[in-house]
Amino acid sequence: MRLLIMGPPGAGKGTQAKGIAERYGVPAISTGDIFRSNVAQRTPLGLEVERIMHAGGYVGDDITNQIVADRLAEEDARHGFLLDGYPRTVAQVAALDELLTARSAQLDAVICLEADRDELVARLVKRAESEGRADDSEEAIRVRQQVYADETAPLLDAYAERGLLIRIDGLGSVDEVGQRIADALDARG
């Protein structure tokens, strides 16, 4: 299976990605995790990513596309993967399409977790408080929700036109949402 999981911040993508990857025997690949790992290890990429993030920006398409291409070339991802946090732009969609075409592969489905924005903000504010994330103010969380709506959500239309999009209600227990995803993927065959 070659899958994407998308949805606004706080929808539970990372949590659900682990279960999906386990169920289908593919690696869950999070660009955010790759970036954070590089920052923690103080690699040249990590230093550049840290500089960009401290300035409030997003890591550019060129860097992100290369990181994903390198990761998908690893042995465990040759026959399937679940991408979390990628693609986020039209240019990244095109880069992923080119990469898959070059490997005579294609996406099987794009899972989109959907949830009420106010519910997600409340969830993230609570998580920020319990994890001591001082930089995760309600205002910052709402900005990220809007950035998602403006920049990433339009990609869903492109995947819907290709017949790949599966919309899933992302509210409920981890198991309930996981079962909705499994049922939807199983129904696709």
Side-chain angles (χ1 to χ4, degrees), residues 85-177:
Y86 181 90
R88 284 196 172 155
T89 67
V90 173
Q92 289 176 6
V93 169
L96 181 60
D97 288 346
E98 283 180 32
L99 180 66
L100 293 174
T101 298
R103 296 179 180 177
S104 299
Q106 61 186 16
L107 289 174
D108 293 299
V110 176
I111 300 157
C112 177
L113 297 179
E114 299 180 323
D116 176 76
R117 183 179 291 190
D118 289 333
E119 294 263 355
L120 294 178
V121 170
R123 181 187 289 180
L124 290 172
V125 166
K126 184 177 178 182
R127 182 173 79 183
E129 290 168 357
S130 70
E131 294 179 7
R133 296 182 182 192
D135 59 330
D136 263 357
S137 66
E138 181 173 341
E139 181 181 341
I141 291 166
R142 287 193 182 278
V143 167
R144 286 197 303 273
Q145 293 286 335
Q146 192 59 49
V147 168
Y148 171 80
D150 293 343
E151 297 178 10
T152 305
L155 305 180
L156 300 175
D157 294 336
Y159 287 124
E161 288 173 15
R162 298 181 194 184
L164 294 172
L165 190 64
I166 300 172
R167 294 182 184 274
I168 301 291
D169 178 359
L171 294 178
S173 73
V174 171
D175 290 341
E176 289 169 340
V177 175

Side-chain angles (χ1 to χ4, degrees), residues 72-86:
L72 293 183
E74 292 181 26
E75 187 58 36
D76 68 335
R78 288 194 185 273
H79 301 292
F81 55 79
L82 172 65
L83 286 172
D84 170 8
Y86 181 90

Side-chain angles (χ1 to χ4, degrees), residues 9-84:
K13 297 178 300 293
T15 300
Q16 291 301 328
K18 291 177 184 85
I20 296 165
E22 223 173 83
R23 179 180 174 99
Y24 294 101
V26 297
I29 301 168
S30 162
T31 51
D33 288 349
I34 293 170
F35 291 149
R36 283 186 288 278
S37 173
N38 276 276
V39 168
Q41 294 173 30
R42 310 300 293 165
T43 67
L45 171 67
L47 296 173
E48 177 66 9
V49 166
E50 187 175 47
R51 184 190 65 73
I52 292 167
M53 290 177 7
H54 279 312
Y58 278 108
V59 178
D61 290 341
D62 291 345
I63 294 172
T64 305
N65 292 338
Q66 189 58 55
I67 285 173
V68 171
D70 291 348
R71 179 60 183 91
L72 293 183
E74 292 181 26
E75 187 58 36
D76 68 335
R78 288 194 185 273
H79 301 292
F81 55 79
L82 172 65
L83 286 172
D84 170 8

